[in-house]
Amino acid sequence: MKASAPGKIILFGEHAVVYSRPALAVPVTQVHVDVEVLDSSRPGIWIHAPVIDLHAELASLPSDHPIASVILKLIQLFGISQTPDLEINISSTIPVASGLGSGAAVSVALIRSLSSFLFHPLSDDEINPLVYEIEKLHHGTPSGIDNTVITYNMPVYFIKGQPVETFKTGKPFTIVIGDTGIPALTKESVGDVRLLWLRNTTYFENIFNEIAQISLIARRSIESGKPELLGELMDQNHALLQEMTVSSPELDRLVTAAKNAGALGAKLSGGGRGGNMFALAEQATAESVANALISAGATRTIITEIS
Ligand code: PMV
């Protein structure tokens, strides 16, 4: 039984979204996780995930291992006492710890394929809260945006704890994603922001309010077919993320390089401190923005159209 899940990118509102402000995120289908569950002739549940060099039997993994915990949760949910012998193959083109949602994508694809294999196929509405539980195990206090955009595979305007809202693009636009190649743990940047927020609550609440405004205007610009207005909003959002201390010299270098190459705006995306940034580009300049990102040290670029 095969299933897959896309990557994602947060367009606006990361970090502020943890404090119940709105954020916008879209799936990135150029990168994905693919999972295949097969009957096995050897005893046990064997997991193969070559990208993280994992070839292990379920029982040999700690129960809080990201992949083991998904499998154990499903076995428990379905009340299975006699576990079948299985091979689970996981492959991924989403870089790990880079803000493109690799963890949530593994959970979504694994739940989809394993639940179908076990004759309990789950709907997106059932999968989403399960993935959120797994995200909590590994990220502390996630907002839930990653699991939502990846489970439903559609653009979302996300406010923590509120029903999922999607949005339409009035006119397609092109973004160029650039990877610093530096893995960064979202849990750490989210934890650091929390400490700063506790120390200086009014200051941080004001930043979050400004970001909430940006997300709101960005959504309107996208829906009304004026994506060119996003460039300025991206620059403003990036400056606020810098104030929150979650940018890094490498991210700033890529943002500047994209702008110098003609991008209309650029910002980091996700937890920050490393991982990915993206820039808004005209279709005609996207290629040169991507080249400029590589020259400035990006380890990989993805040009994607949001439509
Ligand atoms: O680093 P990512 O792409 O998983 O995104 C994290 C986004 C944050 O807002 C920083 C945290 C969250 O849980 O929403």
Side-chain angles (χ1 to χ4, degrees), residues 37-229:
V37 178
L38 302 160
D39 274 316
S40 175
S41 50
R42 59 175 165 170
I45 296 181
W46 286 84
I47 304 148
H48 309 282
V51 280
I52 50 166
D53 208 16
L54 176 72
H55 298 277
E57 208 277 311
L58 176 66
S60 71
L61 295 172
S63 59
D64 64 351
H65 183 282
I67 295 172
S69 55
V70 173
I71 300 169
L72 292 169
K73 221 174 176 52
L74 283 191
I75 290 174
Q76 189 196 17
L77 180 73
F78 300 148
I80 295 170
S81 48
Q82 194 70 44
T83 50
D85 298 329
L86 300 175
E87 302 281 334
I88 299 179
N89 298 315
I90 303 173
S91 60
S92 174
T93 54
I94 309 178
V96 176
S98 72
L100 293 184
S102 68
V106 168
S107 298
V108 170
L110 182 52
I111 292 176
R112 258 191 207 132
S113 98
L114 188 55
S115 64
S116 298
F117 188 91
L118 296 172
F119 304 106
H120 290 275
L122 297 175
S123 68
D124 288 349
D125 289 345
E126 289 168 317
I127 292 173
N128 195 31
L130 278 177
V131 181
Y132 183 55
E133 288 308 308
I134 305 289
E135 292 281 286
K136 274 204 272 192
L137 279 180
H138 308 294
H139 299 302
T141 55
S143 62
I145 190 167
D146 278 23
N147 46 283
T148 303
V149 65
I150 289 171
T151 301
Y152 294 98
N153 193 5
M154 58 189 191
V156 294
Y157 178 80
F158 181 86
I159 302 175
K160 194 172 157 181
Q162 296 202 5
V164 180
E165 261 184 82
T166 187
F167 61 88
K168 292 218 157 58
T169 38
K171 188 168 130 195
F173 56 97
T174 304
I175 63 168
V176 185
I177 302 171
D179 194 343
T180 60
I182 299 168
L185 292 178
T186 297
K187 192 176 182 172
E188 281 175 17
S189 64
V190 168
D192 290 351
V193 169
R194 183 159 296 272
L195 289 180
L196 293 169
W197 172 76
L198 284 171
R199 253 186 252 150
N200 208 340
T201 310
T202 314
Y203 179 73
F204 270 74
E205 283 292 313
N206 284 335
I207 293 182
F208 298 152
N209 286 340
E210 282 187 58
I211 293 177
Q213 275 305 311
I214 290 174
S215 291
L216 198 67
I217 301 170
R219 178 186 176 166
R220 281 197 206 123
S221 308
I222 294 172
E223 288 187 323
S224 62
K226 296 196 180 87
E228 62 282 359
L229 300 181

Side-chain angles (χ1 to χ4, degrees), residues 40 47 250 256 266 289:
S40 175
I47 304 148
E250 296 81 7
T256 306
V289 169

